[in-house]
Amino acid sequence: MQDRKPQQIARELALLSLSQLPLNPKKLTEEHLPKLVLATVRTLRAEVQDTLDNAAAELQRSNDRLLTSQTRAADLNTARTMLQEAIAYTQTAINQLGAAVEFPELIQLANQDKEVGRYAIKLVKVVSEERTVIDEQITAALVDWQVTRLAQIDRDILRIAVAEMMFFNLPDSVAINEAVELAKRYSGDEGHRFINGVLRRVSEQKKALSV
């Protein structure tokens, strides 16, 4: 694992724990860091399994289409598209598994550095308590899309980045770069490009309002 700053580790813990947190976020303290870690592990396991299941389903569909296509061009093109989607799902799963391999070291670093726990818990609290405001900012930056229709991992990456822009005084460029790096680890190529575009629009809207 490359050297990671405490905030980067905390951001990853917060991201992966948001969807599985068993506690009321308002009651979270640093003593609950093990629960954050457990929620993180569960989310990562679920994300990898879901992605692999999607890849397997697309492979099966493309195989079935090839077997029944009778070499029709339209069917072959459809099968090719399905195969490409299966490859994309598999690549995302590989990225997620790569992150999983690093997880024991990440957990050790989280347990050793109190700043990690403090920042992760603060992030979870702010994202949870200010979700309405944060989602309004994201929705305004989406083009013909809704926050609720986004994949969970993409939605939470966006929420964390916008929270850091709005409530942590983190420079927009830094928040965007950190979100893109998270997306590369957990969302895949299209995911990180999409997140980069949305967050740049959020930043532009913030600047327009401050003028």
Side-chain angles (χ1 to χ4, degrees):
M1 178 187 285
Q2 62 183 4
D3 290 340
R4 315 264 312 275
K5 296 179 180 179
Q7 287 187 359
Q8 291 175 318
I9 299 168
R11 196 174 287 114
E12 194 163 343
L13 287 173
L15 168 66
L16 294 176
S17 65
L18 277 171
S19 64
Q20 301 248 353
L21 208 60
L23 293 171
N24 179 349
K26 292 183 179 180
K27 297 180 179 179
L28 277 175
T29 65
E30 291 176 42
E31 286 71 30
H32 292 116
L33 183 59
K35 290 185 181 294
L36 277 182
V37 170
L38 178 58
T40 301
V41 171
R42 286 173 174 167
T43 298
L44 186 55
R45 181 181 62 191
E47 286 289 329
V48 172
Q49 186 61 58
D50 185 55
T51 306
L52 289 174
D53 288 346
N54 286 335
E58 287 300 310
L59 282 171
Q60 186 62 55
R61 287 175 61 202
S62 62
N63 182 61
D64 292 345
R65 182 57 63 97
L66 284 171
L67 290 176
T68 60
S69 68
Q70 298 179 351
T71 69
R72 289 196 299 269
D75 286 336
L76 289 174
N77 286 335
T78 300
R80 185 180 297 112
T81 299
M82 291 175 177
L83 183 58
Q84 290 171 342
E85 290 177 357
I87 292 170
Y89 279 126
T90 303
Q91 184 60 55
T92 299
I94 290 170
N95 292 344
Q96 293 168 343
L97 286 169
V101 168
E102 295 180 351
F103 227 73
E105 187 173 352
L106 186 147
I107 292 171
Q108 183 180 8
L109 290 171
N111 288 329
Q112 289 175 347
D113 193 327
K114 289 185 178 180
E115 184 182 343
V116 170
R118 284 194 293 267
Y119 198 79
I121 288 165
K122 186 178 179 182
L123 264 178
V124 169
K125 283 185 173 182
V126 170
V127 169
S128 299
E129 294 171 5
E130 304 293 344
R131 183 160 297 177
T132 299
V133 175
I134 291 169
D135 283 358
E136 285 175 355
Q137 291 291 316
I138 296 170
T139 299
L142 291 172
V143 179
D144 297 326
W145 205 252
Q146 295 177 344
V147 174
T148 53
R149 293 177 60 193
L150 297 174
Q152 179 75 49
I153 202 77
D154 291 344
R155 185 163 63 239
D156 287 340
I157 290 172
L158 287 171
R159 283 171 171 163
I160 286 173
V162 173
E164 289 186 306
M165 288 180 186
M166 295 180 66
F167 301 104
F168 288 73
N169 296 319
L170 194 68
D172 290 2
S173 59
V174 175
I176 292 170
N177 288 339
E178 293 294 332
V180 167
E181 289 305 311
L182 278 176
K184 286 179 180 178
R185 289 169 68 81
Y186 294 105
S187 184
D189 288 343
E190 291 306 314
H192 87 254
R193 293 191 184 96
F194 170 76
I195 283 167
N196 182 59
V198 173
L199 291 176
R200 288 192 182 281
R201 286 193 291 275
V202 170
S203 180
E204 289 167 3
Q205 289 166 359
K206 279 182 59 204
K207 291 174 182 175
L209 289 173
S210 63
V211 173

